[in-house]
């Protein structure tokens, strides 16, 4: 087995090892760093990884150290962020099945058991459009990223609609 590259995973924190087997097949292996904290000892962690993972050798220690430092930096940034309830929207008659934001986050859509899909403004919480036409529950919704100018809905009525 030969290590090809490292991939960084921010959530949950970890490092993915991409390696090539002797038959040429490319595989990946995950090293979870679930206990990583902004004040964790990077050197000790790198030593543990080298001891437990045969793909990671001493020569790769500087790269692994950089990756763990990046993860720690990201973890410390997230602790400053406080989430709070912005607004509660109740416009559907029946429960929701799905929620999806467009790429920019300026609007979002909701699908419901009431057979409708609604488009909302993220800033104001105002309902922008109601999409109707399905004969059963709307269970799948999505924007056409990266543009976000169309919406696709899927329903238990065995139809998909693009608006």
């Amino acid at each position: 087995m030969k290590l090809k590259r490292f991939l960084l995973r921010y959530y949950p924190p970890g490092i993915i090892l991409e390696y090539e087997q002797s038959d040429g097949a490319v595989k990946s292996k995950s090293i979870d760093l679930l206990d990583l904290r902004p004040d964790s000892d990077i050197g000790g962690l790198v030593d543990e990884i080298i001891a437990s993972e045969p793909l990671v050798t001493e020569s790769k220690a500087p790269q692994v150290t950089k990756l763990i430092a990046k993860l720690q930096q990201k973890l410390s940034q997230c602790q400053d962020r406080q989430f709070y309830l912005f607004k509660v929207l109740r416009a559907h008659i029946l429960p929701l099945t799905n929620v999806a934001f467009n790429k920019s986050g300026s609007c979002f859509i909701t699908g419901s058991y009431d057979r409708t899909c609604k488009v909302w403004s993220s800033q104001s919480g105002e309902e922008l459009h109601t999409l109707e036409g399905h004969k059963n529950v709307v269970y799948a919704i999505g924007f056409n990223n990266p543009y976000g100018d169309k919406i696709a809905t899927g329903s238990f009525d065995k139809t998909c609609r693009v608006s």
Side-chain angles (χ1 to χ4, degrees):
M1 292 190 298
K2 180 183 175 196
L3 182 63
K4 291 184 64 103
R5 66 179 170 162
F6 293 104
L7 302 167
L8 195 56
R9 184 184 64 206
Y10 287 107
Y11 188 82
I15 298 171
I16 305 199
L17 309 174
E18 193 174 273
Y19 62 95
E20 188 174 343
Q21 291 182 319
S22 55
D23 63 359
V26 176
K27 301 271 184 164
S28 63
K29 187 183 235 183
S30 179
I31 299 173
D32 294 327
L33 302 171
L34 303 177
D35 296 327
L36 183 67
R37 303 280 176 259
D39 58 346
S40 296
D41 174 34
I42 295 177
L45 199 50
V46 171
D47 291 341
E48 282 180 40
I49 292 170
I50 290 171
S52 64
E53 181 52 59
L55 285 169
V56 182
T57 60
E58 282 290 335
S59 64
K60 302 292 184 188
Q63 279 182 284
V64 175
T65 302
K66 273 186 184 178
L67 291 173
I68 293 173
K70 278 186 181 181
L71 281 172
Q72 279 186 322
Q73 181 182 13
K74 191 70 167 176
L75 284 171
S76 65
Q77 289 173 355
C78 291
Q79 289 178 346
D80 296 346
R81 194 173 300 156
Q82 294 292 322
F83 294 100
Y84 60 94
L85 179 63
F86 176 65
K87 191 172 270 203
V88 176
L89 306 172
R90 289 188 176 96
H92 286 279
I93 299 167
L94 296 172
L96 298 180
T97 58
N98 248 322
V99 176
F101 281 87
N102 67 349
K103 189 171 178 88
S104 68
S106 62
C107 64
F108 64 97
I109 52 179
T110 56
S112 172
Y113 278 95
D114 66 9
R115 304 176 187 158
T116 65
C117 175
K118 297 191 180 213
V119 183
W120 305 85
S121 164
S122 296
Q123 285 289 22
S124 66
E126 176 186 347
E127 181 182 324
L128 303 175
H129 303 289
T130 298
L131 306 173
E132 299 174 314
H134 283 295
K135 293 180 172 74
N136 208 327
V137 176
V138 175
Y139 70 91
I141 56 177
F143 284 96
N144 67 325
N145 288 330
Y147 305 108
D149 60 345
K150 295 202 179 6
I151 296 169
T153 58
S155 171
F156 280 121
D157 65 10
K158 300 180 185 174
T159 64
C160 174
R161 294 177 171 261
V162 179
S163 306

